[in-house]
Amino acid sequence: MENFRLYHIQATVQIDPILSILVVLSVGIILISFVFRLLKQPYVIAYILAGVFMGPHGLKLVTDELLISNLGSFGLVLLLFFIGMEISLPKIIANWRVPVLGTFIQVVLSVGAVWTVGLIFHWQLNHIIVLGLVISLSSSAIVINFLQDKGLIASSIGQNIIGILLVQDVLVVPMLILLSYLSGATLSTLEITKQIIGGFLILGITLWVLKKKEIHLPFGKQIRKDHEIQVFIAFAFCFGFSLLTAFFGLSSALGAFVAGMIVSKARETTWVHNSLHAFRIVFVALFFVSVGMLINLSFLMDNLGVISVMVLLAFLTNNFINAMIVRFLGESWTDSLYTGAILAQIGEFSFILGATAYLAGLISEHTYQLVISTISVTLIISPFWIFIVSKLTPKIKRKDNL
């Protein structure tokens, strides 16, 4: 009994390494964010730089990349969950041409642009396809944070952009399938069948939510009076649908988005949005910290010239292609250029494409490091790029006065 008590005392005074990591990250984020607040720059960049400086390639204060990455993945899921609660699906469907046609055309043109560059530098076909797919995706986390900060979520620009991001998330699955075929591996019939069933299931749920003006949950009266239960119901929907789509081989963030739409239609959970906002801030911050921890400063400095060219190429290509597509589909030049600038950076799902291509032997370790560095730098520079493009274009006039 005495030994048990001694063990219990030792266990209670032992410092949990996870708590240590969170404290170090919190202090670092506070210090860097304070500087960025004085400079009136977005906190997203501060989060990434915190990961760079305190991560394994910086001061090595935090070296558990897997833990931070896993926590950050919750942030991405929560972000899409919140957007599902805020988005107007009827508006997106009414203006489906920009998200659907625009995204498909943009992916094809992105691969074509890389193909042109690849012919000049004699790149292998596998490299061209991988890099083309990588630069074709924009960052949901960066873009949605920007739209929220600027109050553009409900605007026509915001609706078009979110629609494009959602279509891109859906296209990640066939992109991964394509990479597996290029590597010589093939998906089993079971996996393909699961993805098809999952796609139809999500489509059916989306149409059901769209048809319903209001959704009633069981024991509605009791739920409306109990805020604690509402929080757990929201989490159950969010992560439950994420697990469901992941089981079917689809994006877990897509499942969270659908869950958000359901919760937004349920009268019993109207209090949830504000109550979970703090969770979203913390986990989204951890996601960007995990991005910063991937950046190898030594590799970045040794290959600064090549990475700078790739970053500039990515911004110019994405901005131009997205602007031309949105303009072709009926938007004004100013709105088109602004939309292109917001979508110009390379997205977080591109890390997954790059890692998949590397593990499959489609690209070398050096090329993989170039991909990681390029994606990370575009995420950091993105707010400045949007600011520059907005200053170079006429002031945007919006009918919704946002």
Side-chain angles (χ1 to χ4, degrees):
M1 187 67 179
E2 187 66 27
N3 289 336
F4 173 78
R5 288 177 180 174
L6 287 173
Y7 174 78
H8 180 71
I9 292 172
Q10 290 174 350
T12 54
V13 298
Q14 186 178 6
I15 299 175
D16 192 323
I18 297 179
L19 292 179
S20 302
I21 290 173
L22 292 178
V23 169
V24 170
L25 288 177
S26 297
V27 172
I29 288 172
I30 290 170
L31 294 175
I32 298 175
S33 297
F34 181 73
V35 175
F36 272 71
R37 182 180 179 85
L38 293 177
L39 297 174
K40 297 182 179 179
Q41 297 301 320
Y43 286 149
V44 169
I45 304 176
Y47 302 151
I48 297 176
L49 292 180
V52 174
F53 294 138
M54 294 187 292
H57 303 295
L59 299 175
K60 296 181 172 60
L61 296 176
V62 179
T63 56
D64 195 339
E65 295 178 69
L66 181 60
L67 172 63
I68 302 302
S69 178
N70 288 337
L71 291 175
S73 65
F74 282 108
L76 191 60
V77 168
L78 281 174
L79 185 65
L80 268 294
F81 177 67
F82 271 77
I83 294 305
M85 287 195 285
E86 296 173 358
I87 196 70
S88 174
L89 194 59
K91 284 185 180 180
I92 291 181
I93 293 177
N95 193 28
W96 64 272
R97 292 192 311 150
V98 173
V100 177
L101 294 180
T103 303
F104 275 98
I105 296 172
Q106 188 258 339
V107 171
V108 172
L109 293 181
S110 294
V111 175
V114 175
W115 197 307
T116 303
V117 176
L119 291 177
I120 298 174
F121 292 100
H122 306 289
W123 288 350
Q124 295 180 0
L125 178 61
N126 288 347
H127 286 199
I128 291 173
I129 295 176
V130 170
L131 293 177
L133 296 180
V134 163
I135 71 167
S136 69
L137 300 177
S138 302
S139 170
S140 298
I142 287 278
V143 170
I144 291 171
N145 268 296
F146 176 83
L147 294 177
Q148 288 176 327
D149 290 343
K150 299 297 182 182
L152 293 172
I153 288 289
S155 69
S156 58
I157 288 179
Q159 297 293 305
N160 283 338
I161 289 174
I162 291 174
I164 289 171
L165 292 174
L166 290 174
V167 176
Q168 287 183 359
D169 286 350
V170 173
L171 288 180
V172 169
V173 174
M175 287 180 181
L176 291 173
I177 294 174
L178 175 61
L179 293 181
S180 69
Y181 275 108
L182 289 175
S183 67
T186 57
L187 290 176
S188 66
T189 304
L190 176 61
E191 290 173 319
I192 295 175
T193 303
K194 282 173 61 178
Q195 289 176 347
I196 293 174
I197 294 174
F200 278 108
L201 179 62
I202 291 298
L203 179 61
I205 294 173
T206 303
L207 293 176
W208 176 73
V209 173
L210 182 64
K211 184 179 178 181
K212 290 278 188 178
K213 292 184 178 180
E214 194 173 74
I215 297 174
H216 294 280
L217 300 179
F219 309 104
K221 291 182 180 180
Q222 290 78 9
I223 293 174
R224 277 196 296 270
K225 297 176 183 178
D226 195 328
H227 287 176
E228 291 187 22
I229 292 297
Q230 287 184 33
V231 171
F232 285 103
I233 289 174
F235 270 118
F237 269 103
C238 175
F239 296 112
F241 271 82
S242 297
L243 287 173
L244 181 66
T245 50
F247 171 78
F248 285 108
L250 304 174
S251 167
S252 59
L254 181 63
F257 175 81
V258 175
M261 291 192 301
I262 295 174
V263 170
S264 69
K265 289 287 187 77
R267 290 181 57 192
E268 295 82 5
T269 53
T270 53
W271 179 79
V272 162
H273 186 279
N274 292 332
S275 65
L276 295 184
H277 185 69
F279 287 98
R280 195 203 69 170
I281 292 175
V282 171
F283 286 110
V284 169
L286 288 174
F287 168 77
F288 286 112
V289 168
S290 69
V291 169
M293 292 175 68
L294 290 173
I295 301 175
N296 188 328
L297 292 177
S298 299
F299 181 88
L300 183 62
M301 296 308 298
D302 292 341
N303 298 273
L304 188 59
V306 177
I307 293 172
S308 298
V309 171
M310 291 177 65
V311 168
L312 183 61
L313 177 65
F315 273 125
L316 291 175
T317 302
N318 285 343
N319 202 146
F320 176 76
I321 291 175
N322 281 301
M324 291 298 294
I325 291 171
V326 174
R327 171 59 182 159
F328 176 75
L329 293 173
E331 300 296 329
S332 66
W333 269 116
T334 48
D335 282 12
S336 300
L337 289 170
Y338 195 52
T339 299
I342 295 173
L343 292 168
Q345 79 292 121
I346 305 175
E348 52 276 345
F349 283 116
S350 294
F351 286 114
I352 298 174
L353 293 179
T356 301
Y358 171 60
L359 294 174
L362 294 174
I363 58 176
S364 64
E365 183 177 357
H366 180 80
T367 304
Y368 175 56
Q369 288 296 329
L370 285 176
V371 168
I372 289 177
S373 300
T374 302
I375 297 171
S376 303
V377 173
T378 64
L379 292 175
I380 294 173
I381 298 178
S382 179
F384 300 105
W385 180 268
I386 297 171
F387 174 79
I388 292 170
V389 173
S390 66
K391 291 298 181 183
L392 294 177
T393 54
K395 189 174 181 180
I396 299 171
K397 297 179 181 178
R398 304 184 185 88
K399 295 179 181 179
D400 42 29
N401 296 320
L402 289 175

